[in-house]
């Protein structure tokens, strides 16, 4: 590919050198000849620079891909004890790719990207800048409230309640925490006391051979369990009117367990179907029998991954100071988010009125929400995908900590989606994309990719709808619509300029999301209910608000 690109650009250079791309009519003066030569030389320089940039980007991409493939093959050889059969394993891997087999997820011991980058002084300074911004936010709140409220009351005494540091927003958002923890315990007990015992019973009691009616009955029971697991916790959230942060905890934990249970069953059903009782020589892959040990299932439920394996790479020790520092970073990110909402979001949308829905005010609100929305994106990424997962990885001695890649360097949306959240991407790839790929064939790869986007968009919208208490599919439209289309728009994004386009799109998207959901949230606290409960849930109240009733 790189060779072809070089030949095409070289051909363009030859054309510039050969005819100058300028037709001369008559006799040209020496000044005109010099001007034409300078134009030609400049075009040659531009062609050479473009050729250099494209070749460097393309070669870097191909070298990275080859290096990843090389590392994966080495890791597979080490895990399978085939160090002496390198050539044979490599040829078999290539043969599988030619035959249409997709590679499996391989877990290896490695650190997170930011863990390595933060060892560089320049990157560490950027981290310090964000810490300094948090300190400035805190000082801004203290100084502003002391001066403003002091000028009103004539007293400049210092107290937490007076300077706006009572953190009422945080305590409200995480309200009804005992009910949340009770539901969390119940959800985990069902996965421990129902899923594993029933799967163990089915896998050890079924007769070897072809799939029978009883197997389909067990599969139907599993599907019913998954559906009930999705419905019942949501019902609990709505009946108890859990605030947003508490609802997010419930819903994300609910989806995490659904995905983990699906991964466990999906990985072990083929093994159980192939297992032959009493024939150890035919059960080399099932050393534990048709069902893995309970300890492996228990470890998987809490491990920071969503693709089931019987074993994972483990570290030798637990660095408790590293665990504490990561949890401290999560707490700092929580207060960071609090200041952003308290200073940039709540004052703008608290007094929702007809001015908010005018095109002018709407556009200004979107641009005003771009910076806070993008900051929340950064904070959520760092708090969850880096600090939170690294803390649990350290406590569980989980070795593979590549929870994300350098998504900030992406020049295509396809690469951004693959590298933003590697944990969820691995699950979607392993159990959605690959299954649809094998089911319909390589010719329908676009269908498999479309299903991945559809399910991912539904999951994201599900989290927002349940936690916010209303259905407003802005995220779904942007994710499954614009986001999916941008994949094809930026498909050949070899130029670094596409990275600028990606960041502009992220800023605009974050602003739209922050603005629209904030408007709808405050509209539902200001505008009266005019529809039946079901229709009120799915019809945005910010669109149908009766502002005359509010004024009266």
């Amino acid at each position: 590919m790189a060779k072809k690109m070089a030949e095409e650009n070289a051909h363009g250079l030859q054309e510039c050198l050969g005819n100058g791309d300028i037709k001369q009519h008559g006799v040209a003066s020496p000044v005109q000849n010099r001007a034409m030569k300078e134009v030609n030389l400049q075009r040659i320089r531009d062609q050479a620079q473009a050729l250099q940039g494209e070749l460097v980007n393309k070669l870097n991409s191909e070298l990275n891909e080859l290096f990843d493939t090389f590392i994966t093959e080495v890791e597979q050889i080490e895990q399978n004890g085939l160090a002496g059969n390198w050539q044979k394993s490599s040829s078999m891997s290539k043969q599988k790719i030619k035959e249409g087999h997709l590679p499996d997820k391989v877990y290896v011991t490695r650190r997170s990207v930011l863990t390595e980058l933060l060892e560089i002084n320049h990157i560490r300074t950027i981290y310090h800048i964000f810490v300094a911004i948090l300190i400035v936010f805190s000082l801004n709140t203290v100084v502003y409230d002391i001066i403003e409220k002091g000028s009103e009351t004539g007293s400049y005494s210092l107290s937490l309640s007076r300077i706006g540091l009572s953190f009422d927003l945080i305590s409200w958002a995480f309200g009804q925490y005992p009910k949340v923890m009770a539901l969390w315990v119940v959800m985990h007990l069902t996965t421990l006391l129902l899923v594993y015992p029933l799967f163990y019973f089915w896998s050890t009691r079924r007769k070897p051979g072809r799939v029978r009616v009883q197997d389909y009955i067990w599969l139907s029971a599993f599907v019913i369990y998954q559906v009930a697991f999705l419905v019942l916790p949501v019902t609990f959230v709505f009946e108890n009117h859990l605030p947003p942060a508490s609802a997010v905890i419930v819903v994300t934990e609910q989806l995490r367990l659904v995905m983990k249970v699906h991964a466990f069953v999906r990985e072990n059903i083929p093994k159980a179907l192939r297992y032959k009782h009493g024939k150890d020589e035919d059960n080399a892959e099932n050393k534990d029998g048709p069902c893995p040990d309970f300890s492996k299932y228990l470890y998987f439920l809490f491990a920071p991954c969503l693709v089931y394996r019987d074993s994972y790479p483990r570290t030798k020790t637990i660095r408790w100071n590293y665990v504490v520092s990561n949890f401290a970073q999560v707490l700092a990110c929580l207060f960071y988010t609090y200041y952003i909402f308290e200073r940039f979001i709540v004052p703008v949308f608290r007094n929702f009125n007809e001015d908010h829905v005018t095109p002018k005010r709407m556009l200004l609100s979107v641009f005003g929400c771009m910076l806070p929305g993008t900051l929340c994106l950064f904070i959520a990424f760092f708090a969850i995908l880096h600090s939170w997962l690294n803390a649990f990885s350290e406590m569980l001695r989980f070795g593979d900590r590549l929870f994300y890649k350098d998504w900030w360097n992406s020049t295509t949306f396809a690469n951004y989606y693959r590298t933003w959240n590697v944990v969820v991407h691995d699950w979607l790839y392993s159990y959605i994309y690959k299954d649809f790929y094998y089911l319909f064939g390589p010719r329908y790869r676009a269908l498999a990719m479309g299903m991945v986007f559809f399910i991912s968009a539904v999951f994201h919208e599900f989290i927002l709808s349940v936690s916010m208490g209303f259905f407003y599919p802005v995220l779904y439209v942007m994710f499954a619509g614009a986001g999916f289309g941008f994949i094809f728009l930026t498909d050949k994004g070899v130029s670094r300029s596409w990275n600028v386009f990606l960041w502009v799109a992220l800023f605009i998207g974050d602003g739209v999301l922050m603005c629209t959901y904030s408007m709808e949230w405050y509209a539902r606290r200001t505008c009266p209910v005019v529809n039946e409960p079901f229709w009120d849930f799915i019809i945005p109240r910010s669109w149908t608000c009766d502002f005359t009733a509010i004024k009266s």
Side-chain angles (χ1 to χ4, degrees), residues 132-168:
I133 292 174
L134 175 60
I135 296 173
V136 170
F137 273 153
S138 304
L139 292 176
N140 172 68
T141 302
V142 173
V143 174
Y144 179 84
D145 287 342
I146 287 178
I147 294 176
E148 287 295 318
K149 294 181 180 179
S151 61
E152 294 176 1
T153 61
S155 173
Y156 294 90
S157 60
L158 189 64
S159 67
L160 291 179
S161 60
R162 285 198 50 199
I163 63 176
L165 290 178
S166 58
F167 304 115
D168 291 337

Side-chain angles (χ1 to χ4, degrees), residues 220-270:
S220 301
F222 172 70
V223 172
I224 293 172
Y225 166 81
Q226 290 284 70
V227 172
F229 200 90
L230 285 172
V231 172
L232 296 179
V234 173
T235 305
F236 180 88
V237 170
F238 286 148
E239 289 181 350
N240 290 274
H241 303 286
L242 295 185
S246 297
V248 167
I249 294 173
V250 172
V251 178
T252 52
E253 188 68 5
Q254 171 194 29
L255 290 179
R256 187 184 73 89
L257 292 175
V258 166
M259 296 166 76
K260 278 185 174 288
V261 167
H262 177 85
F264 175 78
V265 174
R266 174 63 183 83
E267 291 287 348
N268 288 288
I269 279 182

Side-chain angles (χ1 to χ4, degrees), residues 66 123 209 263 291 340 394 494:
L66 289 172
I123 306 299
C291 182
I340 291 175
E394 190 67 27
V494 293

Side-chain angles (χ1 to χ4, degrees), residues 346-402:
V346 175
V348 176
F349 298 100
R350 175 186 291 151
N351 299 318
F352 178 80
N353 54 57
E354 64 268 26
D355 293 336
H356 285 87
V357 295
T358 60
K360 179 182 177 180
R361 182 66 179 273
M362 182 79 172
L363 185 62
L364 292 175
S365 297
V366 168
F367 277 90
C369 289
M370 285 184 186
L371 181 59
T374 306
L375 278 175
C376 289
L377 177 75
F378 290 155
I379 293 169
F381 157 74
F382 185 80
I384 299 172
L385 293 177
H386 180 75
S387 300
W388 185 266
L389 293 183
N390 269 291
F392 274 89
S393 294
E394 190 67 27
M395 289 190 294
L396 295 172
R397 295 173 40 232
F398 186 81
D400 194 339
R401 303 180 184 184
L402 193 67

